[in-house]
Amino acid sequence: MAAALQTLGGGIGITLHWIAFTPTIEQQATEEQKKKWLKLAQDVAIVGAYAQTEMGHGTFVRGLETTATYDPSTQEFVINSPTLTSTKWWPGGLGKTANHATVMAQLYTRGKCYGPHNFMVQIRSLENHQPCPGVTLGDIGPKMESNGNDNGFARFDHVRIPRENMLMKFARVEADGTYVQPPSSKLAYSNMVYLRGTFVMSAAQALASATTIAVRYSCVRRQSEMKPGEPEPQILEYQTQQYKLFPQLAAAYAFWFASWFMTQQHGSITGSMEKGDMSGLAELHALSAGLKSYTTAVTARGIDVCRMACGGHGYSHASGLPALFGGAAALCTAEGENTVMMLQTARYLVKCFAQSQAGKRLTGTVAYLSAVQPSPVAGNRNMSDLGTLVAAFQHRAARMVRHAAMQMQGEMQKGKAREDAWNSCSVLLIKAAEAHVHSFVVRNFAETVQTVEVDESVRAVLTSLCQLYSLYGITEHAGDFLKDGYLTGRDIDAASSHLSAMLARVRPDAVALVDAFDLHDKILRSVLGRYDGRVYEHLYEWAKKSPLNKSEVHESYYKYLQPFLKSNRAKL
Ligand SMILES: CC/C=C\C/C=C\C/C=C\C/C=C\C/C=C\C/C=C\CCCCC(=O)SCCNC(=O)CCNC(=O)[C@H](O)C(C)(C)COP(=O)(O)OP(=O)(O)OC[C@H]1O[C@@H](n2cnc3c(N)ncnc32)[C@H](O)[C@@H]1OP(=O)(O)O
Ligand SMILES: Cc1cc2nc3c(=O)[nH]c(=O)nc-3n(C[C@H](O)[C@H](O)[C@H](O)COP(=O)(O)OP(=O)(O)OC[C@H]3O[C@@H](n4cnc5c(N)ncnc54)[C@H](O)[C@@H]3O)c2cc1C
């Protein structure tokens, strides 16, 4: 039943119940509270939404307006939407599906505000699904994609909930209204860190889906003449088609491996946090924010490249690519808008750079910032060697982080306030953070292909894919590598020619590489990407099912076209 609910469409939004509501109980509820709600959620005996974003605030969580005011006389919290902009807006499933929600609200007790905290609120009757007293609910209307999900709105008019409905694993309010501080105020944000981490796998899956569709179709589709008089070739024989698709295919593998690292990091750091060691939280936040931002942005762009590589049929919903693009585009905004998330990573990098300048040896994903020499040693580098490629990306990132941080220091030395200096350097900071995440993805890709337990012939293919991904990154961002002479023009030319060689080397394995994602036709939902390659027959069958084909002459002819034609003919 639960699995069936996961796939429900048509106005029923159960996704957020699984990926946000239930994990919030797991991560933010006490053991007592878990006994009350966790099994109900896991068995879908209740359906929940994660209600944080409001009409007026999504990014700035500290600016949320919904209030939860403690009343010690009744030992209840009063949940209220004081303004129109405080209306909860966007949460998946909130409109029509959920009967419970974890509501993020500003906690007030004894007249003082303690910032955003999570509260469990029943929003619909378990008997007749009507909104509970004081709760106004609805759907926010059609969106770019995912219109099967009822992203909704909610307003609360002084809704009373028991004190025990505050999720109190970290912070709590005692019966007399005393607020007990959490080990870190950011623990209330822990489910967002978790969800951002899962977006890395969502991005990998989405890009894997798109490249599966486009590569398979590019083997079915024959078009034009490569040589006069010869049969039309598969469009995947064109180098330009390979240049479009293979870097996206390589990125799908890179992001898949990055998500393995993210999952492992999340487990290990949250494990330490359970024992009271918060030291890894900052790195976990910076990594999840940066990887989420980087992988979803590259994925959305990459899916559109795949769509365009499939010509007109790519633009049809029969391809599955427009829906994938719409979904991936959502990942760029949801769970932390990409710009804001990359700035969070930049904030961490600037902090680490300052520590490194003060002599601290850096560790983890920023260790390279301490190790990389500022003065590059140019020379003929072996641009097909993975170690050389990784070092190039780390040098580029270290240079850009140093440059952004020094620019900011310079602005402050001119008398600017730190916040103004930050804002006036934020484009540089974003680019430096992107370079940092890019270097992490390349390094992790290289380390994974060198250590993963596979047959040596498979390792050889994965190594080519990693070289292709890295060489593509260098040629696409050549200026960054040339800027301080770390790479020379000859190096960039060598990178370009190696990239061409990699395109040709990956070509024979392209179909096997997408088949390895093992995405069933039912998941791909694409006529172009069918495993059996029978595109044209199924494209015709798909089109015949279009609602417009239910009648030979559509009613619009009689309503609009016929009178219009008649009146025009009468004027002749
Ligand atoms: C096989 C299948 C094939 C394909 C299928 C796959 C994919 C298909 C395609 C797509 C999917 C389909 C459809 C898509 C549809 C929908 C997508 C699905 C689900 C959507 C779920 C979305 C749910 C949500 O959006 S929930 C709401 C999310 N909201 C946010 O994320 C808000 C973002 N804002 C914030 O987090 C914070 O406000 C902030 C971090 C920006 C700022 O916080 P704050 O102001 O408090 O802090 P600062 O002042 O900036 O910093 C102070 C210090 O705190 C540190 N900090 C900040 N945050 C954290 C944290 N979380 N953890 C730890 N530390 C943190 C910060 O670093 C500062 O530290 P310092 O030491 O002082 O520097
Ligand atoms: C499909 C979908 C599903 C969603 N599901 C949920 C859900 O289930 N639950 C939930 O609570 N929310 C959900 N959301 C809401 C989502 O979390 C927010 O839309 C997101 O956090 C962005 O916030 P915002 O919409 O207020 O955009 P804003 O923050 O207003 O962003 C607008 C622009 O302002 C810029 N900006 C904002 N702050 C800064 C800054 N400090 N520095 C530089 N630029 C800045 C941004 O970069 C962006 O370009 C969903 C959204 C979508 C699209």
Side-chain angles (χ1 to χ4, degrees):
M1 173 60 175
L5 274 171
Q6 272 189 319
T7 57
L8 264 176
I12 297 283
I14 195 81
T15 313
L16 272 295
H17 171 87
W18 294 114
I19 69 172
F21 175 77
T22 305
T24 299
I25 300 169
E26 286 162 347
Q27 295 167 24
Q28 310 249 337
T30 63
E31 290 312 310
E32 268 314 293
Q33 291 173 326
K34 284 178 190 173
K35 283 188 192 119
K36 184 176 176 186
W37 291 308
L38 189 53
K39 191 158 183 342
L40 289 174
Q42 288 167 338
D43 293 355
V44 199
I46 61 174
V47 183
Y50 179 79
Q52 173 174 304
T53 301
E54 296 170 357
M55 186 190 284
H57 289 89
T59 286
F60 189 49
V61 175
R62 285 188 287 131
L64 292 174
E65 297 175 85
T66 302
T67 56
T69 308
Y70 185 64
D71 177 352
S73 66
T74 61
Q75 296 191 30
E76 293 172 318
F77 281 100
V78 181
I79 308 292
N80 190 45
S81 306
T83 60
L84 174 62
T85 48
S86 67
T87 305
K88 291 300 178 186
W89 199 274
W90 272 111
L94 187 63
K96 298 295 173 187
T97 310
N99 51 36
H100 283 72
T102 54
V103 177
M104 186 75 97
Q106 301 287 358
L107 189 159
Y108 285 84
T109 179
R110 294 183 169 173
K112 186 178 173 200
C113 180
Y114 290 90
H117 291 70
N118 272 303
F119 298 84
M120 178 65 77
V121 183
Q122 183 173 342
I123 58 174
R124 285 184 184 273
S125 153
L126 300 183
E127 306 309 320
N128 59 22
H129 209 55
Q130 288 295 327
C132 293
V135 180
T136 305
L137 299 166
D139 179 79
I140 64 170
K143 308 171 286 280
M144 178 177 177
E145 219 9 271
S146 310
N147 284 299
N149 262 345
D150 54 319
N151 295 84
F153 65 78
R155 288 187 58 74
F156 302 97
D157 181 4
H158 301 90
V159 174
R160 288 182 167 268
I161 61 174
R163 178 178 70 90
E164 294 75 15
N165 278 38
M166 171 187 169
L167 298 186
M168 289 201 249
K169 178 175 179 180
F170 301 117
R172 65 175 190 279
V173 168
E174 305 295 12
D176 65 358
T178 308
Y179 177 79
V180 179
Q181 291 282 354
S184 156
S185 66
K186 298 308 170 199
L187 288 168
Y189 295 5
S190 63
N191 56 295
M192 289 188 271
V193 173
Y194 160 74
L195 205 42
R196 286 170 197 144
T198 67
F199 272 33
V200 181
M201 178 48 93
S202 296
Q205 287 178 338
L207 201 49
S209 303
T211 50
T212 300
I213 293 164
V215 166
R216 285 180 179 167
Y217 178 64
S218 296
C219 292
V220 170
R221 187 68 168 180
R222 291 178 175 277
Q223 198 69 202
S224 309
E225 274 187 338
M226 200 177 283
K227 289 179 191 148
E230 287 199 358
E232 292 184 86
Q234 293 166 313
I235 55 176
L236 199 55
E237 296 315 320
Y238 294 112
Q239 188 191 53
T240 50
Q241 192 78 354
Q242 295 168 11
Y243 186 72
K244 289 174 196 172
L245 299 184
F246 293 172
Q248 309 312 328
L249 173 58
Y253 273 85
F255 296 169
W256 209 290
F257 297 151
S259 76
W260 287 355
F261 180 90
M262 187 68 244
T263 306
Q264 181 274 330
Q265 278 291 88
H266 188 272
S268 126
I269 291 174
T270 45
S272 308
M273 283 162 56
E274 286 293 328
K275 297 172 193 137
D277 173 7
M278 299 292 153
S279 61
L281 183 56
E283 157 106 354
L284 183 65
H285 167 52
L287 181 66
S288 57
L291 268 178
K292 180 268 179 191
S293 176
Y294 184 78
T295 57
T296 56
V298 171
T299 291
R301 288 196 296 268
I303 292 171
D304 207 32
V305 168
C306 292
R307 191 262 310 165
M308 289 185 276
C310 295
H313 299 329
Y315 191 74
S316 161
H317 274 296
S319 72
L321 291 164
L324 264 178
F325 175 77
L331 296 179
C332 294
T333 302
E335 208 50 61
E337 195 280 329
N338 277 359
T339 303
V340 173
M341 289 299 104
M342 201 53 95
L343 284 169
Q344 284 291 307
T345 303
R347 177 170 175 148
Y348 179 69
L349 291 169
V350 166
K351 200 172 163 185
C352 293
F353 176 75
Q355 289 169 348
S356 163
Q357 294 288 84
K360 182 183 174 188
R361 195 177 66 81
L362 299 176
T363 58
T365 58
V366 293
Y368 73 92
L369 285 179
S370 305
V372 173
Q373 298 310 317
S375 52
V377 177
N380 286 337
R381 300 180 196 278
N382 174 0
M383 296 307 286
S384 62
D385 168 59
L386 279 188
T388 303
L389 300 176
V390 170
F393 276 93
Q394 289 187 328
H395 179 87
R396 169 202 182 212
R399 181 185 64 73
M400 292 171 76
V401 169
R402 182 184 312 112
H403 177 62
M406 303 299 271
Q407 281 291 103
M408 222 183 109
Q409 283 172 12
E411 292 288 292
M412 289 194 288
Q413 279 154 11
K414 288 181 205 161
K416 263 191 186 170
R418 181 179 178 76
E419 294 75 10
D420 294 330
W422 173 269
N423 192 39
S424 62
C425 296
S426 47
V427 172
L428 283 176
L429 289 162
I430 284 271
K431 289 179 187 297
E434 284 168 353
H436 162 71
V437 178
H438 200 170
S439 80
F440 164 77
V441 172
V442 168
R443 177 173 63 79
N444 185 67
F445 197 175
E447 286 174 0
T448 305
V449 301
Q450 285 157 352
T451 56
V452 67
E453 287 182 23
V454 291
D455 185 278
E456 285 313 306
S457 60
V458 173
R459 192 184 314 283
V461 175
L462 290 176
T463 302
S464 300
L465 216 47
C466 182
Q467 285 173 319
L468 192 155
Y469 177 76
S470 310
L471 292 163
Y472 179 76
I474 287 175
T475 53
E476 286 291 293
H477 301 278
D480 290 347
F481 296 90
L482 289 165
K483 197 149 192 186
D484 63 350
Y486 182 83
L487 291 186
T488 63
R490 281 163 59 93
D491 293 329
I492 300 297
D493 287 344
S496 294
S497 56
H498 278 304
L499 177 56
S500 299
M502 287 301 109
L503 294 176
R505 186 176 302 173
V506 165
R507 169 65 189 91
D509 295 310
V511 174
L513 283 164
V514 297
D515 286 353
F517 292 130
D518 198 19
L519 294 166
H520 193 280
D521 283 357
K522 289 197 177 93
I523 296 277
L524 278 184
R525 288 184 280 188
S526 167
V527 170
L528 306 192
R530 292 176 59 86
Y531 187 74
D532 64 9
R534 294 174 57 206
V535 169
Y536 294 118
E537 307 103 290
H538 286 274
L539 192 59
Y540 190 48
E541 289 312 309
W542 186 88
K544 284 197 286 187
K545 289 182 193 137
S546 166
L548 278 175
N549 293 325
K550 279 207 175 81
S551 61
E552 195 48 59
V553 179
H554 193 264
E555 62 181 274
S556 56
Y557 167 76
Y558 303 104
K559 258 186 190 171
Y560 306 108
L561 191 58
Q562 186 183 39
F564 186 55
L565 288 170
K566 219 171 185 173
S567 74
N568 290 339
R569 276 202 292 275
K571 292 173 197 156
L572 294 176

